[in-house]
Amino acid sequence: MIQTVALYALPVIFAITLHEAAHGYAARHFGDNTAWMMGRVTLNPLKHIDPFGTILLPLILVLIGSPIILGAAKPVPVRFGNLRNPKRDMIWVALAGPAANIVMALAWGVGLYLLEGLGVTEPFFLKMCQGGVLVNVVLFAFNLFPLPPLDGGRILVGLLPIKQAMLVSRVEPFGFFIVIALVFTGFVNTLWMQPLMALTYTVLNLLLSPLAALIR
């Protein structure tokens, strides 16, 4: 367990920090300075870590041997009414977090190939890079699940016509509990996570293939 925590600590901290900072940066770009004024557009992980969601919940699930490990950072505050075009811009603000995770997954993949190219054989560093790819692919796929308050739900609300968008947005107060229930029933993993993660890995491998060919 200690080895697993050591391997994944850095990738997880980077993943949640840049994910949340990206939301705040996008919100500021489109007209809402709330996160910026509260100091949340930062790479300081302490500003984004939630004691329960980021530390205690995953640790408890690991200790009890849960096959599903869940965690959450402190959400970046966004006042969508302050955005220049709230319905359209909320899509870009929501997309910013998952997009940051894709960029990080790609960066960890590049790091893995560079270590191999330099002849590094230390398993700890190689596995950390692999873990960095995995963590970010998981966060990317999970956060795109189309149910508020997840990023995918916000994107869906932004894309739907007003009437349908209002109906979906009403789910948000209960959305987290619905998602948890769907996770533990296997619905999210089987019908959403596995297909989207497989597609994401295919795209990442395609993007990394020139570097892989050069090094190997």
Side-chain angles (χ1 to χ4, degrees):
M1 186 187 71
I2 293 174
Q3 185 182 37
T4 300
V5 170
L7 280 171
Y8 284 95
L10 194 60
V12 167
I13 288 172
F14 273 119
I16 64 172
T17 297
L18 291 177
H19 179 104
E20 296 300 331
H23 282 314
Y25 178 82
R28 185 184 184 221
H29 177 78
F30 288 105
D32 177 36
N33 288 324
T34 305
W36 177 265
M37 297 296 290
M38 295 178 67
R40 296 295 306 279
V41 186
T42 175
L43 298 182
N44 179 2
L46 296 178
K47 294 287 187 178
H48 305 293
I49 289 175
D50 176 72
F52 177 76
T54 311
I55 300 173
L56 287 179
L57 178 59
L59 185 58
I60 290 170
L61 293 173
V62 169
L63 290 175
I64 65 175
S66 171
I68 301 170
I69 307 300
L70 297 174
K74 191 188 303 179
V76 164
V78 179
R79 295 180 180 175
F80 293 103
N82 291 344
L83 301 175
R84 287 187 287 273
N85 187 327
K87 196 168 185 306
R88 180 200 65 195
D89 295 344
M90 74 168 2
I91 298 173
W92 297 110
V93 173
L95 273 173
N101 290 126
I102 282 295
V103 171
M104 281 185 283
L106 195 59
W108 283 108
V110 169
L112 177 62
Y113 283 123
L114 289 179
L115 288 176
E116 291 180 351
L118 292 171
V120 176
T121 58
E122 171 56 49
F124 180 83
F125 297 114
L126 298 176
K127 288 182 178 179
M128 180 179 286
C129 288
Q130 292 170 348
V133 175
L134 175 61
V135 164
N136 282 286
V137 169
V138 168
L139 283 176
F140 170 78
F142 183 72
N143 277 288
L144 284 181
F145 189 74
L147 189 72
L150 296 179
D151 297 328
R154 299 269 168 80
I155 294 168
L156 181 62
V157 169
L159 292 173
L160 288 172
I162 292 293
K163 185 177 180 180
Q164 288 81 1
M166 290 180 65
L167 289 173
V168 174
S169 63
R170 289 176 186 171
V171 177
E172 182 157 350
F174 320 101
F176 182 75
F177 302 103
I178 296 172
V179 170
I180 294 297
L182 292 174
V183 165
F184 280 97
T185 58
F187 177 88
V188 171
N189 184 49
T190 304
L191 298 181
W192 182 263
M193 295 291 289
Q194 289 183 10
L196 186 52
M197 286 179 64
L199 177 61
T200 304
Y201 267 112
T202 299
V203 172
L204 288 173
N205 287 331
L206 184 63
L207 293 173
L208 290 167
S209 58
L211 181 60
L214 181 65
I215 289 177
R216 291 176 175 175

Short mmCIF file of all heavy atoms in Angstrom, two decimals, residues 106-152:
data_model
loop_
_atom_site.label_atom_id
_atom_site.label_comp_id
_atom_site.label_asym_id
_atom_site.label_seq_id
_atom_site.Cartn_x
_atom_site.Cartn_y
_atom_site.Cartn_z
N LEU A 106 -0.46 13.00 -21.80
CA LEU A 106 0.50 13.03 -22.90
C LEU A 106 1.91 13.33 -22.38
O LEU A 106 2.89 12.70 -22.80
CB LEU A 106 0.07 14.08 -23.93
CG LEU A 106 0.72 14.04 -25.30
CD1 LEU A 106 0.47 12.71 -25.98
CD2 LEU A 106 0.19 15.19 -26.16
N ALA A 107 2.00 14.27 -21.42
CA ALA A 107 3.30 14.63 -20.85
C ALA A 107 3.93 13.46 -20.09
O ALA A 107 5.14 13.20 -20.21
CB ALA A 107 3.13 15.83 -19.91
N TRP A 108 3.13 12.74 -19.30
CA TRP A 108 3.64 11.56 -18.60
C TRP A 108 4.07 10.49 -19.60
O TRP A 108 5.07 9.78 -19.39
CB TRP A 108 2.60 11.00 -17.65
CG TRP A 108 2.43 11.77 -16.37
CD1 TRP A 108 1.37 12.56 -16.02
CD2 TRP A 108 3.34 11.81 -15.27
NE1 TRP A 108 1.56 13.10 -14.77
CE2 TRP A 108 2.76 12.66 -14.28
CE3 TRP A 108 4.56 11.23 -15.01
CZ2 TRP A 108 3.38 12.92 -13.07
CZ3 TRP A 108 5.20 11.49 -13.78
CH2 TRP A 108 4.60 12.32 -12.84
N GLY A 109 3.34 10.36 -20.71
CA GLY A 109 3.72 9.40 -21.74
C GLY A 109 5.04 9.77 -22.39
O GLY A 109 5.89 8.91 -22.63
N VAL A 110 5.23 11.05 -22.66
CA VAL A 110 6.51 11.53 -23.20
C VAL A 110 7.63 11.25 -22.22
O VAL A 110 8.72 10.79 -22.59
CB VAL A 110 6.43 13.04 -23.51
CG1 VAL A 110 7.82 13.60 -23.82
CG2 VAL A 110 5.48 13.31 -24.68
N GLY A 111 7.35 11.51 -20.93
CA GLY A 111 8.35 11.24 -19.90
C GLY A 111 8.76 9.78 -19.86
O GLY A 111 9.95 9.45 -19.70
N LEU A 112 7.79 8.89 -20.02
CA LEU A 112 8.07 7.45 -20.01
C LEU A 112 9.00 7.07 -21.15
O LEU A 112 10.00 6.35 -20.94
CB LEU A 112 6.76 6.67 -20.11
CG LEU A 112 6.87 5.14 -20.19
CD1 LEU A 112 7.52 4.59 -18.93
CD2 LEU A 112 5.50 4.52 -20.41
N TYR A 113 8.72 7.57 -22.36
CA TYR A 113 9.56 7.23 -23.50
C TYR A 113 10.96 7.85 -23.38
O TYR A 113 11.95 7.24 -23.79
CB TYR A 113 8.90 7.67 -24.80
CG TYR A 113 7.78 6.76 -25.23
CD1 TYR A 113 6.48 7.23 -25.44
CD2 TYR A 113 8.01 5.40 -25.44
CE1 TYR A 113 5.46 6.39 -25.82
CE2 TYR A 113 6.99 4.55 -25.84
CZ TYR A 113 5.72 5.05 -26.02
OH TYR A 113 4.70 4.20 -26.41
N LEU A 114 11.03 9.06 -22.82
CA LEU A 114 12.34 9.70 -22.65
C LEU A 114 13.19 8.93 -21.64
O LEU A 114 14.40 8.76 -21.85
CB LEU A 114 12.16 11.14 -22.18
CG LEU A 114 11.60 12.12 -23.22
CD1 LEU A 114 11.46 13.51 -22.63
CD2 LEU A 114 12.48 12.15 -24.47
N LEU A 115 12.57 8.46 -20.56
CA LEU A 115 13.32 7.66 -19.58
C LEU A 115 13.84 6.38 -20.22
O LEU A 115 14.99 5.99 -20.01
CB LEU A 115 12.43 7.32 -18.38
CG LEU A 115 12.09 8.47 -17.42
CD1 LEU A 115 11.12 7.99 -16.34
CD2 LEU A 115 13.35 9.05 -16.79
N GLU A 116 12.98 5.73 -21.02
CA GLU A 116 13.41 4.51 -21.71
C GLU A 116 14.53 4.81 -22.69
O GLU A 116 15.48 4.05 -22.81
CB GLU A 116 12.23 3.88 -22.43
CG GLU A 116 11.17 3.30 -21.49
CD GLU A 116 10.01 2.67 -22.24
OE1 GLU A 116 9.94 2.84 -23.49
OE2 GLU A 116 9.16 2.02 -21.61
N GLY A 117 14.41 5.95 -23.39
CA GLY A 117 15.43 6.33 -24.35
C GLY A 117 16.76 6.64 -23.70
O GLY A 117 17.83 6.43 -24.30
N LEU A 118 16.71 7.14 -22.46
CA LEU A 118 17.94 7.46 -21.72
C LEU A 118 18.51 6.24 -21.01
O LEU A 118 19.53 6.33 -20.33
CB LEU A 118 17.66 8.57 -20.70
CG LEU A 118 17.34 9.95 -21.30
CD1 LEU A 118 16.87 10.90 -20.21
CD2 LEU A 118 18.57 10.52 -22.01
N GLY A 119 17.82 5.12 -21.15
CA GLY A 119 18.32 3.89 -20.54
C GLY A 119 17.99 3.73 -19.07
O GLY A 119 18.61 2.91 -18.38
N VAL A 120 17.05 4.51 -18.57
CA VAL A 120 16.65 4.40 -17.16
C VAL A 120 15.84 3.12 -16.97
O VAL A 120 14.85 2.89 -17.67
CB VAL A 120 15.81 5.62 -16.73
CG1 VAL A 120 15.31 5.45 -15.29
CG2 VAL A 120 16.61 6.90 -16.86
N THR A 121 16.28 2.30 -16.04
CA THR A 121 15.59 1.02 -15.79
C THR A 121 14.97 0.94 -14.41
O THR A 121 14.40 -0.10 -14.05
CB THR A 121 16.57 -0.15 -15.97
OG1 THR A 121 17.68 0.03 -15.07
CG2 THR A 121 17.07 -0.23 -17.40
N GLU A 122 15.09 2.00 -13.61
CA GLU A 122 14.52 2.01 -12.27
C GLU A 122 12.99 1.89 -12.36
O GLU A 122 12.32 2.79 -12.88
CB GLU A 122 14.90 3.31 -11.56
CG GLU A 122 14.19 3.54 -10.23
CD GLU A 122 14.37 2.40 -9.26
OE1 GLU A 122 15.53 1.97 -9.06
OE2 GLU A 122 13.35 1.93 -8.71
N PRO A 123 12.43 0.78 -11.87
CA PRO A 123 10.97 0.56 -12.00
C PRO A 123 10.12 1.65 -11.38
O PRO A 123 9.04 1.95 -11.89
CB PRO A 123 10.76 -0.78 -11.28
CG PRO A 123 12.09 -1.44 -11.27
CD PRO A 123 13.10 -0.34 -11.21
N PHE A 124 10.60 2.27 -10.29
CA PHE A 124 9.78 3.27 -9.60
C PHE A 124 9.42 4.42 -10.53
O PHE A 124 8.26 4.83 -10.61
CB PHE A 124 10.52 3.81 -8.37
CG PHE A 124 9.74 4.85 -7.60
CD1 PHE A 124 8.78 4.46 -6.67
CD2 PHE A 124 9.94 6.20 -7.82
CE1 PHE A 124 8.05 5.41 -5.97
CE2 PHE A 124 9.23 7.15 -7.12
CZ PHE A 124 8.27 6.76 -6.20
N PHE A 125 10.41 4.95 -11.25
CA PHE A 125 10.16 6.10 -12.12
C PHE A 125 9.34 5.72 -13.34
O PHE A 125 8.48 6.48 -13.79
CB PHE A 125 11.49 6.74 -12.55
CG PHE A 125 12.28 7.30 -11.40
CD1 PHE A 125 13.49 6.73 -11.05
CD2 PHE A 125 11.80 8.35 -10.64
CE1 PHE A 125 14.22 7.22 -9.98
CE2 PHE A 125 12.52 8.86 -9.59
CZ PHE A 125 13.74 8.29 -9.24
N LEU A 126 9.60 4.53 -13.89
CA LEU A 126 8.84 4.07 -15.05
C LEU A 126 7.37 3.84 -14.67
O LEU A 126 6.45 4.24 -15.40
CB LEU A 126 9.44 2.79 -15.60
CG LEU A 126 10.88 2.91 -16.12
CD1 LEU A 126 11.41 1.54 -16.54
CD2 LEU A 126 10.97 3.89 -17.27
N LYS A 127 7.15 3.22 -13.51
CA LYS A 127 5.78 2.96 -13.06
C LYS A 127 5.07 4.26 -12.69
O LYS A 127 3.85 4.38 -12.84
CB LYS A 127 5.80 2.00 -11.88
CG LYS A 127 6.14 0.57 -12.27
CD LYS A 127 6.09 -0.37 -11.08
CE LYS A 127 6.40 -1.80 -11.49
NZ LYS A 127 6.37 -2.73 -10.34
N MET A 128 5.81 5.25 -12.18
CA MET A 128 5.20 6.54 -11.87
C MET A 128 4.68 7.21 -13.14
O MET A 128 3.58 7.77 -13.15
CB MET A 128 6.18 7.47 -11.15
CG MET A 128 5.58 8.83 -10.82
SD MET A 128 6.72 9.93 -9.94
CE MET A 128 6.72 9.18 -8.32
N CYS A 129 5.46 7.13 -14.20
CA CYS A 129 5.02 7.71 -15.48
C CYS A 129 3.78 6.97 -16.00
O CYS A 129 2.83 7.60 -16.48
CB CYS A 129 6.13 7.64 -16.51
SG CYS A 129 7.48 8.82 -16.22
N GLN A 130 3.80 5.65 -15.90
CA GLN A 130 2.63 4.86 -16.31
C GLN A 130 1.42 5.22 -15.45
O GLN A 130 0.30 5.34 -15.95
CB GLN A 130 2.95 3.37 -16.20
CG GLN A 130 3.99 2.89 -17.20
CD GLN A 130 4.46 1.48 -16.92
OE1 GLN A 130 4.20 0.91 -15.86
NE2 GLN A 130 5.19 0.90 -17.86
N GLY A 131 1.66 5.39 -14.15
CA GLY A 131 0.59 5.79 -13.24
C GLY A 131 0.07 7.18 -13.56
O GLY A 131 -1.13 7.44 -13.46
N GLY A 132 0.98 8.07 -13.98
CA GLY A 132 0.55 9.42 -14.36
C GLY A 132 -0.38 9.41 -15.55
O GLY A 132 -1.37 10.14 -15.59
N VAL A 133 -0.08 8.55 -16.53
CA VAL A 133 -0.96 8.41 -17.69
C VAL A 133 -2.32 7.88 -17.24
O VAL A 133 -3.37 8.41 -17.60
CB VAL A 133 -0.34 7.48 -18.75
CG1 VAL A 133 -1.33 7.26 -19.90
CG2 VAL A 133 0.96 8.06 -19.29
N LEU A 134 -2.29 6.81 -16.44
CA LEU A 134 -3.53 6.18 -15.98
C LEU A 134 -4.41 7.13 -15.18
O LEU A 134 -5.62 7.25 -15.45
CB LEU A 134 -3.20 4.95 -15.14
CG LEU A 134 -4.40 4.24 -14.49
CD1 LEU A 134 -5.36 3.72 -15.55
CD2 LEU A 134 -3.92 3.11 -13.58
N VAL A 135 -3.82 7.82 -14.21
CA VAL A 135 -4.58 8.75 -13.35
C VAL A 135 -5.29 9.80 -14.20
O VAL A 135 -6.48 10.10 -14.00
CB VAL A 135 -3.66 9.43 -12.33
CG1 VAL A 135 -4.33 10.65 -11.71
CG2 VAL A 135 -3.27 8.44 -11.24
N ASN A 136 -4.59 10.37 -15.16
CA ASN A 136 -5.17 11.44 -15.96
C ASN A 136 -6.20 10.93 -16.95
O ASN A 136 -7.19 11.62 -17.22
CB ASN A 136 -4.05 12.21 -16.67
CG ASN A 136 -3.36 13.18 -15.74
OD1 ASN A 136 -3.90 14.22 -15.39
ND2 ASN A 136 -2.16 12.83 -15.32
N VAL A 137 -6.00 9.73 -17.47
CA VAL A 137 -7.01 9.14 -18.36
C VAL A 137 -8.28 8.84 -17.58
O VAL A 137 -9.40 9.09 -18.06
CB VAL A 137 -6.46 7.87 -19.05
CG1 VAL A 137 -7.58 7.11 -19.77
CG2 VAL A 137 -5.37 8.23 -20.04
N VAL A 138 -8.13 8.32 -16.35
CA VAL A 138 -9.29 8.04 -15.50
C VAL A 138 -10.05 9.33 -15.19
O VAL A 138 -11.28 9.39 -15.31
CB VAL A 138 -8.86 7.34 -14.20
CG1 VAL A 138 -10.02 7.32 -13.19
CG2 VAL A 138 -8.41 5.92 -14.50
N LEU A 139 -9.31 10.37 -14.79
CA LEU A 139 -9.97 11.65 -14.46
C LEU A 139 -10.65 12.26 -15.68
O LEU A 139 -11.74 12.81 -15.59
CB LEU A 139 -8.95 12.63 -13.88
CG LEU A 139 -8.53 12.39 -12.43
CD1 LEU A 139 -7.44 13.38 -12.03
CD2 LEU A 139 -9.72 12.52 -11.50
N PHE A 140 -9.99 12.16 -16.82
CA PHE A 140 -10.57 12.66 -18.06
C PHE A 140 -11.90 11.98 -18.36
O PHE A 140 -12.91 12.64 -18.59
CB PHE A 140 -9.58 12.44 -19.22
CG PHE A 140 -10.16 12.69 -20.58
CD1 PHE A 140 -10.31 13.98 -21.06
CD2 PHE A 140 -10.55 11.63 -21.40
CE1 PHE A 140 -10.84 14.22 -22.32
CE2 PHE A 140 -11.08 11.86 -22.65
CZ PHE A 140 -11.23 13.16 -23.12
N ALA A 141 -11.89 10.66 -18.33
CA ALA A 141 -13.09 9.90 -18.68
C ALA A 141 -14.20 10.09 -17.65
O ALA A 141 -15.36 10.31 -18.00
CB ALA A 141 -12.75 8.42 -18.81
N PHE A 142 -13.84 10.02 -16.37
CA PHE A 142 -14.85 10.12 -15.31
C PHE A 142 -15.52 11.49 -15.30
O PHE A 142 -16.74 11.60 -15.19
CB PHE A 142 -14.23 9.84 -13.95
CG PHE A 142 -15.21 9.86 -12.82
CD1 PHE A 142 -16.13 8.83 -12.66
CD2 PHE A 142 -15.23 10.91 -11.91
CE1 PHE A 142 -17.05 8.84 -11.62
CE2 PHE A 142 -16.14 10.93 -10.87
CZ PHE A 142 -17.06 9.90 -10.72
N ASN A 143 -14.72 12.54 -15.44
CA ASN A 143 -15.28 13.89 -15.37
C ASN A 143 -16.14 14.23 -16.58
O ASN A 143 -16.93 15.17 -16.52
CB ASN A 143 -14.16 14.92 -15.22
CG ASN A 143 -13.71 15.08 -13.78
OD1 ASN A 143 -14.41 15.64 -12.96
ND2 ASN A 143 -12.54 14.54 -13.47
N LEU A 144 -16.01 13.50 -17.67
CA LEU A 144 -16.84 13.75 -18.84
C LEU A 144 -18.18 13.01 -18.78
O LEU A 144 -18.99 13.16 -19.70
CB LEU A 144 -16.09 13.36 -20.12
CG LEU A 144 -15.02 14.35 -20.58
CD1 LEU A 144 -14.38 13.85 -21.88
CD2 LEU A 144 -15.57 15.75 -20.78
N PHE A 145 -18.41 12.24 -17.72
CA PHE A 145 -19.71 11.57 -17.59
C PHE A 145 -20.81 12.63 -17.59
O PHE A 145 -20.76 13.59 -16.82
CB PHE A 145 -19.78 10.74 -16.30
CG PHE A 145 -20.99 9.87 -16.21
CD1 PHE A 145 -21.09 8.72 -16.98
CD2 PHE A 145 -22.06 10.20 -15.40
CE1 PHE A 145 -22.22 7.90 -16.92
CE2 PHE A 145 -23.19 9.41 -15.33
CZ PHE A 145 -23.28 8.26 -16.09
N PRO A 146 -21.83 12.51 -18.46
CA PRO A 146 -22.78 13.60 -18.70
C PRO A 146 -23.87 13.76 -17.63
O PRO A 146 -25.06 13.60 -17.90
CB PRO A 146 -23.39 13.23 -20.05
CG PRO A 146 -23.33 11.74 -20.07
CD PRO A 146 -22.06 11.36 -19.36
N LEU A 147 -23.43 14.07 -16.42
CA LEU A 147 -24.38 14.30 -15.34
C LEU A 147 -23.82 15.37 -14.42
O LEU A 147 -22.70 15.22 -13.92
CB LEU A 147 -24.63 13.00 -14.56
CG LEU A 147 -25.78 13.03 -13.54
CD1 LEU A 147 -27.13 13.05 -14.26
CD2 LEU A 147 -25.70 11.81 -12.63
N PRO A 148 -24.55 16.48 -14.20
CA PRO A 148 -24.07 17.49 -13.25
C PRO A 148 -23.94 16.88 -11.86
O PRO A 148 -24.73 15.99 -11.52
CB PRO A 148 -25.17 18.56 -13.28
CG PRO A 148 -25.96 18.29 -14.52
CD PRO A 148 -25.86 16.81 -14.78
N PRO A 149 -22.96 17.29 -11.05
CA PRO A 149 -22.06 18.43 -11.25
C PRO A 149 -20.75 18.10 -11.95
O PRO A 149 -19.83 18.92 -11.91
CB PRO A 149 -21.80 18.86 -9.80
CG PRO A 149 -21.78 17.57 -9.04
CD PRO A 149 -22.82 16.70 -9.70
N LEU A 150 -20.62 16.93 -12.55
CA LEU A 150 -19.40 16.61 -13.28
C LEU A 150 -19.28 17.49 -14.51
O LEU A 150 -20.26 18.05 -15.00
CB LEU A 150 -19.40 15.13 -13.68
CG LEU A 150 -19.39 14.12 -12.54
CD1 LEU A 150 -19.43 12.70 -13.09
CD2 LEU A 150 -18.17 14.30 -11.65
N ASP A 151 -18.05 17.61 -15.02
CA ASP A 151 -17.81 18.49 -16.16
C ASP A 151 -18.66 18.10 -17.36
O ASP A 151 -19.16 18.97 -18.09
CB ASP A 151 -16.33 18.45 -16.55
CG ASP A 151 -15.43 18.98 -15.45
OD1 ASP A 151 -15.88 19.87 -14.71
OD2 ASP A 151 -14.29 18.50 -15.33
N GLY A 152 -18.84 16.80 -17.58
CA GLY A 152 -19.67 16.35 -18.69
C GLY A 152 -21.10 16.82 -18.57
O GLY A 152 -21.76 17.12 -19.57
#
